[in-house]
Amino acid sequence: MTSPDTLNTEQQYVTLVIAEQLFGIPVLDVHDVLKDQRINFIPLAPNQVAGSLNLRGRIVTAIDMRRRLGVEPEVARHSSMSLVVENQGEMYSLMVDSVGEVLSLPSSRFEKTPATIEANWREVARGVFRLEKSLMIVLDVEKLFPQIVENDAEAA
Amino acid sequence: MDDLLVEFLTETNESLEKLNLEIVRLEQNPGDMELVSSIFRIMHTIKGTCGFLGLPRLESIAHAAEDVMGKIRDGKLAPSATIVSLVFDSLDQIKFILAMLGESGTEPEGDDSNLIAALRAMAEGGDAGSGSHAAPHAPAPVAAAVSTDHTPVSADSAELEAAFAAAEFDPPTPDAAASPTPAETSFENALDAIEKKEKASATKAVQAAAVKKAEKPKEAEKGGDKDSNQTIRVGVGLLENLMNLVSELVLTRNQLLQISRSEKDSPYKVPLQRLGQVTSELQESVMKTRMQPIGNAWNKLPRIIRDLSNELNKKIDLVMIGEDTELDRQVLEMIKDPLTHMVRNSADHGVEQPADRINAGKPEIGTVRLEAYHEGGYIIIKIADDGKGLNMGRIKAKILETGLSTEDDIAAMSDEQLQQYIFKAGFSTAAKVTSVSGRGVGMDVVRTNIEKIGGTVGLWSVEGQGSTFTIKIPLTLAIVSALIVGVAGERFAIPQLSVTELVRVSANSEHRLEYINGVPVLRLRERLLPLVSLHNILNLPAESDSKKSQFIIVSQVGNQTFGLIVDKVYDTEEIVVKPVAPILRHISVFSGNTILGDGSVIMILDPNGVAAKIGDLSNEQRAADADAKVNATRTNEAMAMLVFSAASQTPRAVPLALVSRLEEVDIKDIEYSNGQALVQYRGSLMPLLTVTPDHQIGTEGVKPVLVFSDNKRSMGVIVDSIIDIVEEAITINLPSETPGFIGSAIIRGKATDLLDAHYYIHKSFSDWFRAEKNPSTNSEETGGRTGRRLLLVDDSAFFRNLLAPVLHAAGYDVVAIDHAQKALDLRDKGEMFDVIISDIEMPDIDGIELAQTITSGGVWADIPCIALSVHTDPDMFARGRAAGFVDYVPKFDRDALIQTLAQQLNGMSIAA
């Protein structure tokens, strides 16, 4: 996948919302969008791991993105939306608050992540798109996972 | 490369494998005509296909080899070792050319004329060998063959080949069989006819192949042909994919079934049931695609053994049993090489030269026996030879030479231990390195490879009788049979392999949980089984309803046996193990995850990980086992125990000898000072303690109190009720990590906690021992509070724990040791004591011997020794006296011990 800031073309992003913040993931990275999956709890797992689920015969690990980003979990989640992404041959389902439309964005609107943003957000952000009404953070899927184990090790 | 060529390559390679096997078999059973025909047919097909595809080099070799086989079939040639070797050579050459063909797509340049000439000479020699009348005889069998039951096309074409060969090598021979009307036809005509037939032979060969396929079912019925051409090659990826799809299908079916259940009289019901059945069968079949008979890994072995016996001039029989035993192809791949190596080793190192065998009184032909069978989810493969066995002398020499161990250590080792050294890297006892083995890279690699797939290698060997290697490997790596259990509403899979037993416990069943200070144990066939709750291991909330029945999964990992408490046991299921995501790999108690039939994802517990998690516990358990053994022998004598209940359902007990009095205290009389409960007792304040800090004693009523006292100081332990006084031999089963308890024992058939009196005395008089050292609190009565040193020798930890506080409380500075030798060590170090108390029955050095040693001389010669024993008969008493003990005290008589001590020490101070 090419970095948006080196290529002056449009790229498509699936938008999603976590704790009222708009995020985007390149559409080609998203395998699936799931709604209301039965998630099987995994004891002893890092708390950012919500559990595992069965996606057409493949085991997918569900990541609670609110916990991953260190924001308060929703008090009552009526329905949950998930985006399925792949990392090093493993499938992960990112549980988010909602999934929005697919946007086609020109790289001219792309900027680096401001340095003042909290570290645990910055490390998973590839950059920010200036949209008409809001800002959209581009999630770096690769960076989402290694940290989970480390964080857990620290907590333990 | 041409598709046709690829197909030809795979098919021909398969045929060659088969030929390898069959030719060895032929050598052993030269008369098996069916085998000869089969070999001939295969050869013929290879030759025919080569001609058809335009591969002249291969064709000519196959042709020549086929000729030889033709002669054998016609009975003109016996399948001697030389002939078979030659045929093997040609097979190798064909293989070589095939390999080159596979790489480049064309036949390599090369000259096979030597080989072909040799083969032809052999074929011809066969003719000549059968006598000078060979030529005239030739037509008869051929003609006969034509008229017999052979399939027309193949026979026809095959016979023609033979005839052609005969004509070619022996031109003057009139060939009768070549033409349908023998005798009259001229020689030229015959040749012509043969040539025409030969040109058509490619087509014939194809037809022959077709006929051969048609013959298949017949052969299968006869059981003559194990290998089957009715197979196709499918990529493993495709199978995996198929498996996933089937899982998906199962999931969908289950959903459908659920829907149909909610609707009464649904017209879909019957078709759904059918769908369900078919799905299950499909699932099973797909699972089976991964399985392969172990014979596939053995195919090469007969040839290897044959070549080896020729090379080494040995006579070896390879016996293979259980070729049909199936195992996962992944496992099969991994054991192929180790197996080959081991069979080779057995033939090379194991089986002796024929002369040596005869000298040793064994049959001339050695046997290497290969055996495979299923046993409890494992495949057992045995490789046994009746050869010379492992040479212990040489192993020992080699161990010394390589510096792996010292001579002393070797002397102490059993044969089995020594034999294990052959699995060490660089260890070979073959006197000389042959091309086959003896390089010392092997057995260690074999072992590593087998262990990699979760298997083990065992070795049994007796010098002069042979060696047997036993390999135990799991059936499959991917599919395991697992027990599905439920804990706190979650489900988990436990591999069946580690489950030895399942016990259901509930309040009114035969088995129930008993608690030792909140820690559950189970009595299972007169043993206490340590239990761990899966809730605790997985950090899940425990279910509080203890009335519900629970299940204990008794598991064995290595030498550890423990019970896992779970809430529910569902079923056993064949599960497909899938690795967990990298972000979960650090959780050691899981070995993978899997999708169940109903589509849910569950974690697979790793018994090793679980065992490691409770490892500390079990180490203690082992230590306690060791201790318990000592105690078991030590406490065969009955001991009076006061059994009471306090703060728990579990009965508790304390040796009666330790309790000075039993009192009843009205709770209203309890006063508190500085948070410490006190009661007025015999004119002074006596501190009171509960058995556990959180034990609620209530606000009114009368409670029994166990009073532990020494001289003027007393303390009480409040209990709920006194149950009984029991005189029973006890065995301490578990040491307790809980303060206040020494351990547990079965008393009157119930698990009972043993109270540690020392702990409570200590707790209520934390100043006690400090006070001891203060001369102002010196008690005049004993006159012994100023640091009289006392040595207590007793091998039982229990008694040391029991006596030390009593003696301590009596004002002695107690050094307690568990072994008489340690006492002597202390003496040698120059330690001094005022009095020695020793147990009589101890391992290695008993009390009698210790007393004799001490009193017979040295710096301790004048120290009074007091014997302590459960035996109080006069004989023992006399023996003790004779050995130098000044007094003899029964083990549980606390007062007598204190009195005796005081007498002895006072007497001594008077004497001094």
Side-chain angles (χ1 to χ4, degrees):
Chain A
M1 188 182 52
T2 21
S3 181
D5 52 355
T6 55
L7 206 68
N8 195 15
T9 49
E10 296 213 328
Q11 251 204 306
Q12 289 189 309
Y13 292 89
V14 179
T15 59
L16 52 117
V17 176
I18 304 166
E20 281 152 33
Q21 169 64 51
L22 190 67
F23 288 87
I25 296 178
V27 76
L28 292 176
D29 287 0
V30 178
H31 285 234
D32 244 307
V33 177
L34 309 173
K35 189 168 186 267
D36 288 338
Q37 286 287 316
R38 186 172 74 184
I39 289 177
N40 302 274
F41 172 68
I42 306 173
L44 308 177
N47 94 331
Q48 300 162 351
V49 175
S52 51
L53 55 99
N54 172 5
L55 179 66
R56 292 186 291 275
R58 283 194 69 174
I59 295 176
V60 178
T61 309
I63 309 289
D64 186 328
M65 285 306 290
R66 275 179 172 261
R67 291 209 183 116
R68 178 66 188 90
L69 294 173
V71 291
E72 282 304 299
E74 259 181 322
V75 185
R77 213 191 276 264
H78 297 294
S79 70
S80 75
M81 295 295 290
S82 300
L83 290 165
V84 178
V85 296
E86 196 171 325
N87 180 248
Q88 295 179 343
E90 287 291 328
M91 308 268 267
Y92 295 93
S93 139
L94 309 177
M95 294 167 65
V96 299
D97 296 354
S98 64
V99 177
E101 55 193 336
V102 174
L103 298 180
S104 206
L105 299 169
S107 56
S108 57
R109 292 215 220 156
F110 184 77
E111 273 185 38
K112 276 196 287 185
T113 319
T116 46
I117 288 180
E118 240 182 277
N120 63 340
W121 282 51
R122 208 170 55 234
E123 75 192 11
V124 298
R126 188 178 290 216
V128 179
F129 270 106
R130 284 173 280 111
L131 305 186
E132 302 261 319
K133 286 179 186 162
S134 59
L135 296 171
M136 187 191 88
I137 299 175
V138 179
L139 274 180
D140 192 338
V141 172
E142 305 265 306
K143 303 249 168 73
L144 277 175
F145 309 107
Q147 207 69 27
I148 290 177
V149 180
E150 283 170 38
N151 288 350
D152 191 55
E154 276 164 35
Chain B
M1 210 189 299
D2 198 342
D3 275 357
L4 205 58
L5 196 56
V6 173
E7 219 163 87
F8 162 73
L9 284 175
T10 44
E11 195 188 303
T12 311
N13 273 322
E14 261 171 26
S15 306
L16 287 177
E17 290 281 306
K18 195 171 156 189
L19 275 179
N20 265 332
L21 261 181
E22 295 198 335
I23 295 175
V24 174
R25 263 163 48 198
L26 177 67
E27 198 181 13
Q28 290 154 353
N29 314 297
D32 190 340
M33 286 321 284
E34 203 165 307
L35 210 52
V36 175
S37 306
S38 163
I39 294 169
F40 184 84
R41 267 199 308 274
I42 299 171
M43 251 342 176
H44 183 80
T45 311
I46 294 175
K47 189 201 73 178
T49 332
C50 291
F52 184 69
L53 290 171
L55 302 165
R57 221 184 133 183
L58 280 173
E59 188 190 356
S60 52
I61 300 171
H63 186 159
E66 184 198 348
D67 285 347
V68 175
M69 289 316 298
K71 296 275 169 175
I72 295 173
R73 195 190 54 174
D74 298 344
K76 292 179 199 160
L77 216 54
S80 69
T82 359
I83 291 179
V84 170
S85 289
L86 202 57
V87 174
F88 273 138
D89 285 346
S90 48
L91 290 188
D92 285 344
Q93 187 65 15
I94 291 173
K95 220 174 199 171
F96 167 75
I97 298 174
L98 282 178
M100 304 290 281
L101 191 60
E103 276 169 29
S104 62
T106 53
E107 267 190 334
E109 293 295 314
D111 182 27
D112 311 308
S113 52
N114 283 346
L115 182 65
I116 294 171
L119 282 166
R120 289 198 172 157
M122 194 63 74
E124 210 166 354
D127 269 354
S130 64
S132 50
H133 311 294
H137 280 302
V142 173
V146 173
S147 62
T148 52
D149 59 348
H150 284 274
T151 345
V153 176
S154 93
D156 186 12
S157 134
E159 296 317 324
L160 279 167
E161 297 304 329
F164 177 72
E168 200 177 11
F169 300 135
D170 203 2
T173 313
D175 198 298
S179 103
T181 48
E184 290 90 9
T185 330
S186 75
F187 176 58
E188 273 79 15
N189 284 350
L191 261 187
D192 274 345
I194 290 161
E195 258 161 19
K196 273 184 212 141
K197 289 272 185 185
E198 172 64 6
K199 283 198 183 102
S201 76
T203 338
K204 295 268 184 185
V206 175
Q207 283 171 333
V211 169
K212 188 177 149 216
K213 277 196 180 126
E215 281 172 4
K216 270 287 160 197
K218 248 193 284 167
E219 281 182 13
E221 274 164 37
K222 278 189 271 175
D225 207 350
K226 274 183 190 144
D227 227 7
S228 167
N229 276 357
Q230 288 174 317
T231 53
I232 52 158
R233 279 150 196 281
V234 184
V236 177
L238 184 62
L239 286 183
E240 296 283 320
N241 196 21
L242 200 55
M243 186 110 89
N244 285 340
L245 289 173
V246 168
S247 312
E248 191 68 12
L249 186 64
V250 170
L251 174 59
T252 318
R253 171 203 61 187
N254 291 349
Q255 283 170 345
L256 282 174
L257 283 176
Q258 215 142 31
I259 296 167
S260 86
R261 241 175 258 137
S262 59
E263 281 178 41
K264 266 188 185 170
D265 304 325
S266 160
Y268 297 117
K269 209 151 207 164
V270 176
L272 266 177
Q273 258 170 8
R274 180 81 192 118
L275 175 70
Q277 238 169 17
V278 172
T279 311
S280 303
E281 271 169 39
L282 180 62
Q283 193 179 15
E284 212 168 284
S285 305
V286 172
M287 293 277 201
K288 269 191 195 151
T289 58
R290 294 179 64 102
M291 306 300 274
Q292 284 188 338
I294 196 166
N296 288 4
W298 291 357
N299 273 347
K300 288 198 184 81
L301 299 176
R303 169 86 192 267
I304 287 170
I305 291 290
R306 189 199 164 273
D307 288 355
L308 259 179
S309 27
N310 279 356
E311 190 183 327
L312 302 167
N313 289 321
K314 290 181 181 176
K315 292 190 174 166
I316 306 168
D317 234 0
L318 179 69
V319 181
M320 298 194 287
I321 299 164
E323 293 111 309
D324 299 335
T325 314
E326 287 201 324
L327 74 169
D328 191 274
R329 43 162 284 279
Q330 204 183 344
V331 180
L332 192 73
E333 276 306 311
M334 295 196 71
I335 58 154
K336 226 177 199 171
D337 289 346
L339 264 186
T340 310
H341 187 91
M342 290 169 88
V343 168
R344 222 179 256 233
N345 261 356
S346 293
D348 188 18
H349 295 294
V351 178
E352 313 92 326
Q353 295 293 337
D356 295 341
R357 288 187 64 88
I358 291 166
N359 284 343
K362 295 184 192 177
E364 188 186 3
I365 301 169
T367 310
V368 174
R369 196 184 153 93
L370 203 55
E371 201 178 339
Y373 55 91
H374 286 239
E375 192 181 273
Y378 279 103
I379 293 243
I380 314 285
I381 304 168
K382 280 188 177 163
I383 300 136
D385 65 66
D386 62 348
K388 56 181 176 274
L390 290 175
N391 184 328
M392 298 313 295
R394 212 177 287 158
I395 289 181
K396 284 179 194 165
K398 188 80 185 179
I399 294 173
L400 284 177
E401 189 187 311
T402 46
L404 287 167
S405 191
T406 64
E407 206 152 339
D408 290 350
D409 290 344
I410 290 173
M413 278 185 225
S414 67
D415 280 4
E416 284 80 36
Q417 281 171 309
L418 288 169
Q419 285 167 358
Q420 290 301 318
Y421 274 90
I422 68 158
F423 292 110
K424 295 251 192 275
F427 202 90
S428 172
T429 56
K432 59 173 189 271
V433 174
T434 64
S435 72
V436 186
S437 47
R439 287 172 298 258
V441 282
M443 290 317 287
D444 64 315
V445 179
V446 165
R447 170 134 95 176
T448 321
N449 277 350
I450 288 169
E451 281 176 358
K452 220 183 267 169
I453 52 172
T456 55
V457 198
L459 165 62
W460 172 93
S461 179
V462 173
E463 215 168 327
Q465 289 182 25
S467 314
T468 303
F469 289 89
T470 309
I471 303 175
K472 193 177 175 190
I473 41 174
L475 266 183
T476 165
L477 301 181
I479 304 165
V480 298
S481 175
L483 191 67
I484 313 295
V485 300
V487 177
E490 304 287 338
R491 284 182 296 173
F492 299 92
I494 303 176
Q496 284 273 32
L497 276 182
S498 54
V499 178
T500 53
E501 188 172 356
L502 206 57
V503 182
R504 184 197 166 109
V505 290
S506 67
N508 39 20
S509 76
E510 184 194 347
H511 295 282
R512 67 196 159 82
L513 292 186
E514 291 175 78
Y515 291 87
I516 296 172
N517 199 41
V519 178
V521 291
L522 176 75
R523 240 180 292 158
L524 191 64
R525 288 184 288 275
E526 298 306 311
R527 270 190 64 95
L528 279 186
L529 182 74
L531 298 181
V532 245
S533 167
L534 202 51
H535 293 105
N536 294 345
I537 287 183
L538 300 176
N539 247 340
L540 291 168
E543 274 179 22
S544 52
D545 188 4
S546 59
K547 275 179 196 155
K548 262 173 54 186
S549 66
Q550 288 176 306
F551 293 89
I552 312 283
I553 315 276
V554 183
S555 323
Q556 186 162 17
V557 175
N559 299 326
Q560 273 176 246
T561 306
F562 56 88
L564 274 178
I565 307 175
V566 300
D567 298 337
K568 277 181 192 151
V569 171
Y570 291 94
D571 205 352
T572 57
E573 212 168 305
E574 296 280 308
I575 56 169
V576 180
V577 181
K578 299 188 178 204
V580 293
I583 57 169
L584 301 172
R585 244 158 241 173
H586 63 287
I587 310 173
S588 62
V589 295
F590 299 129
S591 61
N593 45 16
T594 191
I595 300 177
L596 287 185
D598 66 356
S600 53
V601 180
I602 66 167
M603 304 304 290
I604 303 166
L605 287 168
D606 180 357
N608 289 307
V610 172
K613 211 157 184 186
I614 58 170
D616 295 342
L617 180 147
S618 52
N619 282 340
E620 279 162 25
Q621 162 68 13
R622 268 203 287 278
D625 276 350
D627 229 20
K629 265 177 216 146
V630 174
N631 281 330
T633 60
R634 300 289 310 116
T635 56
N636 282 336
E637 302 300 319
M639 174 166 161
M641 300 294 287
L642 177 72
V643 184
F644 58 93
S645 81
S648 156
Q649 293 297 310
T650 315
R652 286 157 174 192
V654 66
L656 189 61
L658 289 181
V659 182
S660 8
R661 277 178 303 278
L662 269 178
E663 297 287 344
E664 291 202 317
V665 171
D666 196 324
I667 290 169
K668 277 182 287 186
D669 294 342
I670 296 176
E671 296 163 64
Y672 289 88
S673 154
N674 218 357
Q676 165 78 66
L678 296 164
V679 70
Q680 292 186 21
Y681 179 68
R682 295 193 178 181
S684 66
L685 283 171
M686 177 170 80
L688 289 180
L689 284 176
T690 49
V691 171
T692 51
D694 53 353
H695 180 209
Q696 297 301 318
I697 51 168
T699 49
E700 53 183 33
V702 175
K703 289 266 178 185
V705 169
L706 316 179
V707 180
F708 299 96
S709 68
D710 174 73
N711 297 318
K712 287 176 179 167
R713 312 194 77 156
S714 301
M715 63 82 49
V717 174
I718 308 173
V719 301
D720 290 334
S721 65
I722 302 295
I723 298 172
D724 205 354
I725 289 172
V726 177
E727 197 139 330
E728 211 170 270
I730 61 161
T731 302
I732 301 175
N733 290 295
L734 286 163
S736 174
E737 279 303 294
T738 322
F741 295 93
I742 297 170
S744 66
I746 294 177
I747 296 179
R748 286 265 161 102
K750 293 188 97 171
T752 307
D753 299 336
L754 294 181
L755 201 75
D756 178 5
H758 187 185
Y759 171 82
Y760 293 97
I761 295 171
H762 230 294
K763 205 172 166 192
S764 53
F765 301 109
S766 48
D767 63 327
W768 185 316
F769 300 105
R770 251 179 295 134
E772 304 303 310
K773 299 216 162 68
N774 187 342
S776 66
T777 57
N778 198 355
S779 158
E780 290 165 21
E781 274 174 75
T782 61
R785 289 206 172 267
T786 46
R788 294 274 199 185
R789 283 194 93 195
L790 182 152
L791 180 67
L792 174 66
V793 189
D794 195 318
D795 58 314
S796 145
F798 176 71
F799 285 112
R800 286 199 309 277
N801 287 340
L802 199 127
L803 286 174
V806 176
L807 297 168
H808 221 126
Y812 298 97
D813 193 355
V814 181
V815 174
I817 52 174
D818 60 355
H819 199 280
Q821 186 55 48
K822 287 190 184 161
L824 300 176
D825 290 347
L826 284 173
R827 181 179 70 171
D828 296 342
K829 268 192 233 158
E831 296 270 343
M832 281 308 286
F833 294 94
D834 296 303
V835 63
I836 297 167
I837 300 175
S838 174
D839 188 15
I840 298 287
E841 298 86 15
M842 287 188 293
D844 302 335
I845 306 174
D846 67 9
I848 303 282
E849 199 180 334
L850 177 69
Q852 281 166 346
T853 314
I854 289 173
T855 50
S856 64
V859 283
W860 284 7
D862 296 327
I863 300 177
C865 294
I866 298 170
L868 203 60
S869 180
V870 284
H871 298 285
T872 47
D873 54 295
D875 264 11
M876 280 301 279
F877 197 82
R879 270 185 68 202
R881 285 269 186 211
F885 281 114
V886 292
D887 214 333
Y888 199 100
V889 182
K891 211 158 190 173
F892 305 114
D893 195 340
R894 172 180 162 278
D895 289 340
L897 179 64
I898 300 292
Q899 257 177 21
T900 312
L901 275 174
Q903 274 170 15
Q904 284 304 324
L905 291 170
N906 285 339
M908 195 180 74
S909 45
I910 290 163

